[in-house]
Amino acid sequence: MSMAIDKKQSVERLKALPQVQRWREGNYEPGAWFTSKPAEEGGIWGSWGHRFQPNRRGVSLVELNRADRHPIPTEGLGLLADREAGAEPDAPRYDYPLREKYQVWSYNVESLYEEAMSRQWSATRDIPWDKLAPLPEDQERALCQFVSFLHTVEFVPGDTLPFYMARVDPSFSEVRLFMSSQCADEARHMEVFGKRMYANGGGPGMEPGAEALLLFDPRKSVLPQEIAKTVSNVNPTWDFLAYSYFVQMIGEAVVLDFFRFGEFLGRNPCDKEMFRRIMQDEARHVSFGTMRIKYYLDNAPRREREEASEMLHFLASACEASGTGFGLLLQPSAIEPFALLAAGSLGNLDKGWDVVREFWATAVEEYINRCERAGLPRRGRCMLPEEAPF
Amino acid sequence: MANQKVEFPSTQWFQALAARMNEQRAKYQNFGFVTARAVFRVTATAAGNRNFGLVFDGFECLEVRELTDGEIAQFDPDWTMEGDYATWKEMVQNIKAHGEADPDHTLNRLCLLGHPFRVHGEDQTRVDVFYRQLFSFQAFIDESAAVETSFA
C-alpha cells in the first residue's frame, strides 16, 4: 500500500499547526493549563490546594477521597479525565452508558481496590510448587478435572468484565480500577489452574461446560421452555446490575465456595496455598458485587429502584430455579471429582458425597445471607433447596 | 520470654502471636494488609467460654483483649471464629508439631462445613473479610508454632 502523503508534506503539515507556529516564532508563553484559575474560581483548571498526609499504608484511595473537600459527583462528566479535572469548552465529551454514580458505585469499592493491590500475587513465584507431592492416580485425575473446570470458569468474567468497564464513566475511576484488578485476578487464576494441571503427573481434563451454566443456558434449564426462553432474553449484557447479580453475586459466590472447598481438599502445601490465594481474590469480587447491588438499591431514583428490585428478584428466582450459578454444583464434571477428592479414594465415595451435601447447605446459606446484605432478601423466597437435591 | 510457657487460651497467648506478627512486617506486607476486627471464641474450656477480640490494621495486630459474651456486640467484630477447646488444642498442637497447620488443620479446613469450627457474624460481607484476608490469618495462627504453649 502506498501512502497518500510523503515525509516532506507531513513535516509541512506539522509545522503549520498553530501551536507549532507559535513556538517557532519564539512565543513560549504557557497556555490555559498554566494561566487559568480553578473551576471553583470560575476558571477551567480542575481543582487546587489538595494535600494529603500518607498514613500507615501509604496513600490510600479511602483516605484520599475522605480528605477531598469535593464530594464524588452523582453524575459523570463524560470526560476522559479525572473527575475534578478542568476542560476547554470544546473538549470532547463521551456518552458513557453508565454515567450515574448509583449505576456503578459500590460502598466498599475504594477499600476493595486497595486490598486487591495489596494482595496481588504471582502464580509463578508465590505458590510453593516445590512442595507439590505426588497423589494417587485417581486423586490426581480428580484434581486435574476439578482445576480444568475452574480454568473454564475463569473465562466468564475475564471475557465479560471489560465490556462493562469500558462503559463506566471515567469520573468513577475507582470502579474501573477495581474491575481492572478483577480482570488481572481472573487471568492469574486461569494461569495458576493451567500450570497446576501440568505440574504433578496429570494433565488437562475434559471441557466441563461451566461457562454455559454461568451465563444461563436454557438447554440445561429445569424451567418450562417458555419461561426459560424469556429469562434467556433477559441477558446479562442488557444491564450492569443484572451482570453483578449473575456473575459477581451468585456465580462467583459459588465459585468462591469451590475455592474454599479446593483448600479444604488440598493434601499438600502447594494446593492449599494456591486455593487460599485464589479464595481471597474471589471473596473481593463477591463483596464488590454484593455491595454494588446494595448501593444501587439504596440510591437509585425511587421508581427505578422499585423496578430494579423487582427485576433482580425475578432474575434471582429464575437463576435459582434453573440452576444458574448453583448449577455448577450439579455439574457432573465438577462435582464428581469434588466428591472423589473429598472421599480420598473410590472406595469411600459415599463419604465424599456426604461432604458435598454438607457443602451445598453451607453455600446456600451464605448466598441467602449475601442477598440479605445486598437489600435483596431471598430468605423464604429462594427457590434453591436448603439441602442438596442428591 | 520466648522460653516461658504461655497458657492457652489467654490474652497473653494471643498477644504472643501478635508480637510475632508485629515484628515480621516484611512477611505480612508480602501477604497484603489486614483490616479486621476478629473474635476468636474458645468454647467448653474449664472456665467456660472464652472470647478474645483482636484488632488488625495494616500489617499489625494492634489490640488483643478478652471479652465477656456480653461485650462481643460492642466490640463489633467483622467475624467470629468459634470452636471448642478440644479442637483448638488439637490445632495448636498440630501447628507446633509441623511448624504450621498440616492439611487437616488449616483454618479454612476446620471452618468450611461449620464444624468443628464455625465462622459467623451479623453481616455476611464482613464475615467474607475472613476469606478475603485468610492468608494473613492463617499465618497469624501459625505463629503459635514458635510459642511455648501450656494448656489449661
Side-chain angles (χ1 to χ4, degrees), chain B residues 33-75:
Chain B
F33 66 69
V34 194
T35 313
R37 300 179 69 82
V39 167
F40 294 95
R41 180 169 164 83
V42 188
T43 61
T45 75
N49 300 332
R50 309 273 302 268
N51 311 299
F52 300 91
L54 279 68
V55 179
F56 296 92
D57 188 32
F59 312 107
E60 293 174 56
C61 178
L62 300 179
E63 184 182 330
V64 178
R65 63 183 152 120
E66 185 156 10
L67 305 166
T68 63
D69 284 357
E71 289 171 331
I72 292 178
Q74 195 180 8
F75 180 76

Side-chain angles (χ1 to χ4, degrees), chain B residues 4 8 80 105:
Chain B
Q4 283 180 345
F8 177 88
T80 296
H105 293 86

Side-chain angles (χ1 to χ4, degrees), chain A residues 29-59:
Chain A
E29 195 176 324
W33 70 267
F34 190 72
T35 56
S36 178
K37 291 179 176 174
E40 283 172 323
E41 298 170 35
I44 57 169
W45 174 267
S47 62
W48 190 254
H50 297 280
R51 283 188 182 79
F52 186 79
Q53 279 295 110
N55 64 11
R56 299 154 63 91
R57 295 179 212 147
V59 176

